Each structure stands twice: as C-alpha cells, then as structure tokens.
C-alpha cells in the first residue's frame, strides 16, 4: 500500500484506474486492521492533495463506508468507529465549500428519516439505532470546529437532534436520549450556542425519583447501549445508571451556563425543580448529590450577582457583556464538574478492571474443576445413562421371547 502511494502520480494519468484505487483504499480504511487503515487514509489524503477534484467523491464514499461500519457499537468496535470519525473530520476540513454541500445533503437525509418516524411511529427503528446516532456524531464533530460558511448547518442539526429525543419518550430509550444530549452539549460548548436541554434532562431525573422495587441485577455500562427491555427498565441498576449519566450531563450543562452573566436568572427555575426533586426522592445517595449541586449553584449565583452590581454597561451592550464574561474566572460549578468527572472515571476504570479479573478467575476455576472431576477411580464405575438402561431392557425382552 505504501508503494501505491509512491506510484500515485502514475495512477493519476488514468481516471478509471484512479477510481479503483480510491475504492480499494476506502474498503481497507473501513476494515478492522488498524495499521492498514491508517496507511489507506494517508493514501487518500495524498490523492486529494494531488487531485483536488476527487475530494467530493472521496468524502461521499467515506461517509457511506462509515455508515456501513457503524451499525454495531460495543467496546470492541468503538475504537474503530472513533478512528473512522476522526479521519473523516480531517478530510472535511480540507475544503469548507464542498463540506457545506455534502453536509447539507446528508443532514437533510437524516431529517427526512426523522420525519418519516414522526408520521409513522412504527418506523422508529430507522432512527433509534447506532448507525443514525453515529452519523449525528460525525456532523457534530465537523461543525464543532468549522469555518463561518458552515455555521448555517448548526441550527438544522440541532433541530434534528431535538426531534430524535422527542420521537419516543419511553424510559427504555433514555440511554439514546442522553447520548444525543451529550452530542448537543459538545456542540454548544464548541460553538458558544445555547441549546435548551433542561426539560429533557429533568425528565430523566423524574424517572429516578420513584424508588424501584425490582430485584437487584448486575449494572450495565450505558456507553454502548441505546435501549433496554421493559423488564430491565424497572431494575435498580438501570435507575442508578440513568441517574449517574443524567447527573453528569446536568452538571455539564449548568457549568456551561455558570460562565454567563444571566446565570442567576437562568438557574432559578432549575433550582426550584431540583428542590422539588429532593422532596419527592427517597434515595439518600441522589439527595446528597443534589444538595451539593444546589449549594454550588447558590454560591455561583451570589458571586455573579455581586459582580454584576458594579458594572456600568447594560444588557444591550453585547460586546461589553461578552468581554466581561470572558474575564470571569473558573466558577465553582466548573471546578466541581471537573472533579466529579475525574473521580467518576477513575471509579469506572477500577470497576472494569475488577470485572475483567473476576472473569479471568472464573475461567481458571472452571478449568480446574474439569481437571479434578475428570479422573475416574478404579473402584467406581460410571453410572449408565437412561438410554443405555432402556436398551438393556429391550435386549432382555428379546432374549425372553426367543
């Protein structure tokens, strides 16, 4: 493949051969061999550098290959999908005008699929799948760091993601809703846009307010899950997983708002609702975390109110407001969010390593049991099976008749 890259100027003289070259390298880029995929991607970059007219065709073929490879999401395939997504973002940054036409085409396709689901709820599977979510993730990554000419695509993409959340409100699909909210938070932080996500987040918390009476089950990592069964929906493990993920996203959302001059007014309805949640919820773990969040919100609101009282500009002076917000130090909510994320991730990695060790120990134990039980003593004989007993009875009957 490296030799093909060196011979690229000779391939460029033959358009038909060049198309086969691009097609074969995109197929390798979508395979599971990591080293070969990287080399194939560098070859595609070299093609675009030498022949810029091939960029649009390559982008479309890479996007189609990405959609084929992103249908299944699990810990084994996640790294491959992330590698493909990051390489596509690099390719989309080469020419913003071509990126705009390609992005408009495929975001419109996502919107058309969503409209068909809104008209007919039976087609929900065409949207509520990993292929659709990963396609949204690509465009969020592309538009998070884009030129001014791509800014008009941000609003349609946000509308599509909001429609995905509203398409089905069952608690079974809360993992999918929270994955979509995470994408919107990432886009909002990168583009400095405000996306109203309070209602969706508080709806997930409302589900966690009532204590689950189902028997305890093994927790499931929701990072690679979009939906659960109706039976698992009622378990305590699922409720804990939804609360942890929702609390993380709510912290992220409020920490972004804490750098705004309007935080005291914006946070007031959130504070009222969280206090109602504390009264309704009987889980001490949830209430303690909500208490910490409310305390941090009150501290930030008080500090911003004191600082605002000394300014001389008005809300209509947008440039001065933006400059004042940029000079704000890191808020207590942002520090709390960063600390919570660091602790939560360290605990998650420790639990994963412990589970792997337990699985390895179970396998060794099973092998040891097989070795112990496989030896037969000379005195003990194997017990005949029921089939062998029946065969012996039939033979005895035949002998009697004879």
């Amino acid at each position: 493949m490296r030799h093909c890259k060196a011979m690229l100027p000779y391939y460029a003289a033959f358009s038909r051969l060049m198309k086969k070259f691009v097609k074969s390298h995109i197929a390798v880029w979508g395979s599971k061999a990591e080293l070969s995929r990287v080399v194939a991607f560098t070859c595609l970059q070299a093609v675009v550098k030498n022949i810029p007219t091939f960029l649009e065709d390559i982008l479309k073929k890479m996007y189609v290959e990405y959609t084929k490879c992103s249908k299944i999401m699990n810990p084994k395939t996640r790294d491959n999908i992330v590698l493909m997504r990051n390489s596509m973002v690099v390719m989309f940054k080469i020419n913003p005008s071509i990126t705009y036409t390609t992005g408009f085409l495929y975001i419109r396709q996502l919107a058309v699929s969503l409209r068909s689901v809104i008209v007919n709820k039976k087609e929900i599977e065409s949207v509520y799948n990993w292929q659709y979510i990963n396609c949204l993730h690509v465009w969020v990554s592309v538009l998070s760091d884009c030129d001014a000419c791509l800014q008009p695509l941000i609003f349609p993409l946000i509308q599509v993601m909001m429609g995905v959340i509203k398409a089905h409100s069952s608690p079974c699909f809360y993992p999918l809703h929270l994955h979509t909210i995470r994408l919107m938070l990432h886009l909002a932080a990168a583009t400095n846009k405000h996306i109203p996500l309070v209602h969706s987040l508080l709806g997930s918390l409302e589900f966690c307010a009532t204590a689950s009476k189902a028997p305890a089950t093994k927790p499931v990592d929701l990072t690679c899950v979009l939906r659960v069964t109706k039976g698992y929906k009622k378990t305590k493990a699922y409720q804990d997983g939804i609360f942890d993920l929702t609390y993380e996203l709510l912290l992220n959302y409020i920490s972004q708002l804490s750098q705004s001059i309007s935080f005291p007014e914006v946070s007031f309805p959130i504070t009222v609702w969280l206090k109602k949640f504390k009264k309704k919820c009987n889980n001490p773990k949830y209430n303690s975390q909500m208490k910490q969040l409310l305390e941090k919100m009150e501290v930030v609101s008080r500090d911003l109110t004191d600082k605002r009282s000394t300014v001389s500009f008005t809300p209509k002076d947008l440039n001065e407001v933006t400059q004042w917000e940029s000079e704000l130090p890191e808020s207590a909510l942002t520090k709390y969010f960063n600390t919570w994320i660091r602790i939560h991730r360290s605990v998650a990695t420790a639990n994963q390593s412990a589970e792997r060790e337990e699985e390895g120990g179970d396998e060794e134990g099973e092998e040891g049991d097989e070795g112990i039980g496989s030896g037969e003593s000379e005195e003990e004989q194997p017990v005949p099976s029921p089939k062998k007993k029946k065969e012996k009875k039939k033979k005895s009957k035949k002998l009697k008749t004879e």
Side-chain angles (χ1 to χ4, degrees):
M1 202 175 295
R2 293 191 180 96
H3 297 296
C4 291
K5 184 180 178 180
M7 296 179 64
L8 189 59
Y10 301 98
Y11 285 117
F14 306 95
S15 60
R16 185 177 296 179
L17 189 62
M18 199 66 204
K19 289 180 181 179
K20 292 183 179 179
F21 178 89
V22 170
K23 184 178 179 180
S24 61
H25 279 72
I26 288 177
V28 175
W29 172 73
S31 63
K32 296 181 180 180
E34 185 175 353
L35 183 60
S36 301
R37 299 170 75 186
V38 175
V39 176
F41 176 67
T42 56
C43 290
L44 293 172
Q45 281 184 309
V47 170
V48 174
K49 185 177 180 181
N50 292 310
I51 315 171
T53 55
F54 270 82
L55 177 60
E56 186 173 1
D57 185 53
I58 288 175
L59 287 177
K60 290 180 179 179
K61 288 181 179 178
M62 288 179 71
Y63 186 82
V64 171
E65 186 68 23
Y66 173 78
T67 57
K68 291 179 182 178
C69 299
S70 61
K71 293 180 179 179
I72 299 173
M73 188 74 164
N74 53 48
K76 295 181 179 178
T77 62
R78 181 169 50 190
D79 294 337
N80 296 334
I81 294 172
V82 170
L83 177 63
M84 295 180 74
R85 182 167 57 245
N86 293 337
S87 57
M88 283 186 66
V89 171
V90 173
M91 295 293 283
F92 275 117
K93 288 182 180 179
I94 295 174
N95 192 330
S97 60
I98 294 177
T99 301
Y100 178 83
T101 55
T102 308
F104 181 85
L105 173 65
Y106 289 117
I107 291 174
R108 184 178 179 276
Q109 283 186 0
L110 295 173
V112 170
S113 300
L114 179 62
R115 184 179 62 182
S116 64
V117 170
I118 294 172
V119 174
N120 185 8
K121 294 292 185 181
K122 294 181 180 179
E123 298 182 5
I124 193 71
E125 297 293 336
S126 63
V127 170
Y128 276 30
N129 55 66
W130 273 117
Q131 188 179 33
Y132 195 93
I133 298 299
N134 284 322
C135 289
L136 291 174
H137 202 162
V138 166
W139 297 115
V140 167
S141 301
V142 171
L143 298 179
S144 295
D145 184 16
C146 64
D147 295 339
C149 65
L150 296 177
Q151 294 289 329
L153 294 177
I154 294 176
F155 181 73
L157 182 62
I158 292 173
Q159 290 298 310
V160 170
M161 289 190 285
M162 295 292 287
V164 169
I165 295 174
K166 295 177 182 178
H168 206 295
S169 59
S170 173
C172 296
F173 293 104
Y174 278 165
L176 184 142
H177 295 176
L178 296 175
H179 286 309
T180 310
I181 291 172
R182 187 190 295 277
L183 294 178
M184 285 192 279
L185 285 172
H186 177 71
L187 184 62
T191 59
N192 198 20
K193 306 285 185 184
H194 174 67
I195 305 175
L197 298 172
V198 180
H199 180 72
S200 301
L201 289 170
L202 298 184
S204 301
L205 282 179
E206 186 72 27
F207 168 73
C208 302
T210 56
S212 176
K213 298 180 180 180
T217 55
K218 187 178 180 181
V220 175
D221 186 11
L222 297 178
T223 54
C224 294
V225 175
L226 289 184
R227 63 176 180 179
V228 296
T229 59
K230 292 182 179 179
Y232 190 77
K233 176 188 70 174
K234 301 176 182 178
T235 59
K236 183 71 168 57
Y238 179 66
Q239 196 176 60
D240 290 341
I242 291 296
F243 178 83
D244 290 339
L245 190 54
T246 306
Y247 188 75
E248 176 189 342
L249 297 177
L250 185 63
L251 268 180
N252 190 359
Y253 179 71
I254 297 175
S255 65
Q256 291 182 19
L257 294 177
S258 65
Q259 299 299 123
S260 173
I261 195 172
S262 61
F263 180 77
E265 290 77 22
V266 174
S267 63
F268 178 74
I270 303 175
T271 304
V272 172
W273 194 94
L274 292 180
K275 288 180 178 178
K276 290 181 180 178
F277 175 83
K278 275 188 64 181
K279 292 181 180 179
K280 188 187 298 185
C281 182
N282 297 323
N283 192 316
K285 175 189 171 184
Y286 300 167
N287 287 334
S288 64
Q289 293 187 11
M290 286 300 168
K291 183 180 178 181
Q292 292 178 354
L293 178 57
L294 286 169
E295 290 175 354
K296 299 295 182 183
M297 290 174 68
E298 289 176 2
V299 169
V300 174
S301 298
R302 197 182 310 114
D303 292 343
L304 285 175
T305 303
D306 295 339
K307 290 179 181 178
R308 284 190 321 187
S309 61
T310 60
V311 300
S312 59
F313 55 83
T314 60
K316 67 178 182 180
D317 302 325
L318 297 180
N319 294 330
E320 295 181 6
V321 169
T322 305
Q323 184 180 358
W324 186 84
E325 290 177 347
S326 62
E327 294 174 356
L328 285 174
E330 190 178 33
S331 65
L333 274 168
T334 305
K335 293 178 182 178
Y336 176 63
F337 170 67
N338 294 332
T339 305
W340 191 90
I341 285 292
R342 186 169 60 252
I343 295 172
H344 188 71
R345 287 178 179 173
S346 63
V347 171
T349 52
N351 291 336
Q352 289 177 359
S353 61
E355 288 178 1
R356 289 173 184 171
E357 290 178 358
E358 287 179 1
E359 290 176 358
D362 292 340
E363 290 177 358
E364 291 178 359
E366 289 175 0
E367 291 176 358
D369 293 342
E370 289 176 0
I372 292 170
S374 59
E376 295 178 0
S377 63
E378 294 179 356
E379 297 177 357
E380 294 179 356
Q381 293 181 355
V383 180
S385 62
K387 291 184 179 179
K388 290 182 179 180
K389 287 182 178 180
K390 291 181 180 179
E391 290 177 358
K392 287 181 180 180
K393 287 181 181 180
K394 289 181 180 178
K395 287 181 181 179
S396 61
K397 287 181 180 179
K398 285 182 181 180
L399 290 172
K400 286 179 181 180
T401 53
E402 287 175 357

